[in-house]
Amino acid sequence: MAYIRRLGQTYPDLVTVESIGQSYEGRDLLSVRISSGASGSTTPKPVIFIDAGIHCREWISPPVALYLIQQLVENSTVNAQLYQNVDWVIVPNLNPDGYVFTQTENRLWRKNRRLTEGEACYGTDLNRNFGYFWMHAGASNNSCTETYAGPEAFSEPEARALRDWFNQNGQNVKLYLTFHSYGEMILYPWGYDQVLPDNAEQLQALGLRVGAVIDQATTIGSSYRTIGTSAIELYSAAGGSDDWVKADVGGNVALSYTIELPDGDAPWWFMIPARQILPVVQETFEGVKEFHKYIEEEFVADTSPTRDFKRDNIV
Ligand code: 0X9
Ligand code: ZN
């Protein structure tokens, strides 16, 4: 968080750091907007929105978001074209209370840290708390389970923060990515049940493209061979952020993905060894660049001679 705030101060023309809300224990949920400015035409720039850390034990997820931020901002000689026509909004840790808890009390904690009134156990699974087909399947009303969905949809401040951000600022978001682990999977809605979204073909084709790029780039043998809807490929689970963002945002975000990052060797799963952090974040960055390429292909009218960008950089 200190690093992010520092970037905001060092690069005020490029980076805007804002809190999208507070966690239950009062921590800021920081967002990083990376933008080279207004589009210069009547069409606003497409936005790519990314979050990480919804499940706090999935420790490899926030570093993926942080590395992306770092590459965009501090390696701009190479990567400036990534924010020429597209704006990025990145929330690197949506569940900071849980994240602290995994560092201090229980490494395998998954949920947030709020105690629902009258319940026996702490924590709601934030990825069961979003309000699209809430509690339809794969979610629990028992607070002592890992998939407790909360007393009602959006009962949790962290899920509300994401909802409110999208309701207020989501109009131009064209792609939503949420990073989880593990399994090397590229999943898309629907998650609430085994039904295909209307643009399943588009989601599948893009997922395949991104998976192939990561598999090509990997130095540690990652293999994204599972690409499909999360209910069909993994299990039905309602209340996920990916479903809600696709379904319920003003205008809707047609392209919504959950990326399940690589795992550590059995039996460590969520505890990926430190030596694999850099390889994972680097290969995933290659995948994110492929997503970005698609967004430019689909939503940016004139990318071919990115004249201003090239002129600026030759000088
Ligand atoms: O169960 C989840 O929330 C995700 N898997 S994880 O192992 N990281 O917990 C998958 C979520 C897929 N999306 C939906 N079910 N909506
Ligand atoms: Zn997860």
Side-chain angles (χ1 to χ4, degrees):
M1 294 303 115
Y3 168 69
I4 287 167
R5 292 191 195 276
R6 206 158 62 235
L7 286 184
Q9 284 158 7
T10 314
Y11 303 91
D13 294 339
L14 180 64
V15 179
T16 311
V17 178
E18 268 171 9
S19 173
I20 67 162
Q22 269 86 43
S23 69
Y24 174 66
E25 291 176 355
R27 296 183 175 87
D28 273 325
L29 306 170
L30 291 187
S31 70
V32 182
R33 178 182 278 273
I34 298 166
S35 171
S36 59
S39 74
S41 81
T42 46
T43 335
K45 290 181 179 177
V47 176
I48 298 177
F49 187 100
I50 295 177
D51 65 49
I54 282 186
H55 289 143
C56 48
R57 66 187 174 189
E58 298 164 11
W59 275 13
I60 191 60
S61 159
V64 163
L66 273 182
Y67 184 78
L68 170 63
I69 293 168
Q70 189 239 358
Q71 284 300 305
L72 290 170
V73 176
E74 297 195 295
N75 198 11
S76 60
T77 2
V78 178
N79 293 320
Q81 99 277 2
L82 295 173
Y83 54 77
Q84 213 51 33
N85 306 308
V86 171
D87 287 353
W88 301 76
V89 178
I90 302 163
V91 178
N93 196 337
L94 203 56
N95 182 8
D97 299 349
Y99 190 60
V100 168
F101 197 72
T102 63
Q103 296 178 2
T104 54
E105 303 286 339
N106 177 352
R107 175 64 184 81
L108 291 179
W109 193 257
R110 164 181 167 99
K111 303 184 281 182
N112 76 348
R113 287 297 303 160
R114 196 179 72 86
L115 178 65
T116 299
E117 217 180 285
E119 289 295 336
C121 298
Y122 278 81
T124 290
D125 183 348
L126 296 175
N127 219 31
R128 299 292 180 276
N129 194 236
F130 286 77
Y132 188 66
F133 281 93
W134 180 77
M135 277 295 281
H136 174 85
S140 171
N141 58 13
N142 176 351
S143 65
C144 299
T145 64
E146 294 282 39
T147 54
Y148 177 52
E152 59 191 23
F154 294 117
S155 55
E156 306 309 303
E158 298 86 359
R160 280 202 302 271
L162 196 73
R163 175 196 65 184
D164 294 347
W165 185 92
F166 270 97
N167 284 340
Q168 285 156 31
N169 314 287
Q171 310 83 349
N172 303 320
V173 176
K174 299 297 179 197
L175 172 68
Y176 170 71
L177 302 178
T178 179
F179 283 103
H180 287 251
S181 75
Y182 54 85
E184 292 151 66
M185 297 184 244
I186 298 178
L187 305 172
Y188 51 83
W190 300 112
Y192 73 91
D193 211 335
Q194 297 193 358
V195 283
L196 292 176
D198 50 11
N199 66 335
E201 269 182 44
Q202 181 192 24
L203 286 160
Q204 181 70 19
L206 177 55
L208 285 168
R209 242 171 87 166
V210 170
V213 164
I214 301 178
D215 291 359
Q216 193 69 39
T218 188
T219 57
I220 53 169
S222 299
S223 171
Y224 280 81
R225 53 172 82 89
T226 304
I227 292 152
T229 86
S230 62
I232 293 170
E233 296 298 333
L234 193 58
Y235 40 66
S236 294
S241 66
D242 50 359
D243 276 13
W244 181 80
V245 167
K246 179 162 174 56
D248 261 20
V249 173
N252 297 359
V253 181
L255 301 170
S256 171
Y257 290 91
T258 295
I259 314 283
E260 298 282 359
L261 295 160
D263 47 73
D265 294 335
W268 303 108
W269 310 133
F270 300 108
M271 288 171 264
I272 197 155
R275 66 173 184 282
Q276 288 184 6
I277 298 170
L278 195 57
V280 170
V281 301
Q282 284 174 331
E283 71 188 33
T284 310
F285 181 54
E286 297 304 313
V288 172
K289 284 195 281 189
E290 191 65 17
F291 273 122
H292 165 272
K293 201 166 147 199
Y294 183 80
I295 294 303
E296 281 205 332
E297 288 165 15
E298 287 291 300
F299 300 104
V300 180
D302 177 24
T303 52
S304 30
T306 44
R307 286 177 305 267
D308 291 344
F309 162 68
K310 289 221 170 94
R311 192 160 55 218
D312 287 354
N313 279 270
I314 286 164
V315 179

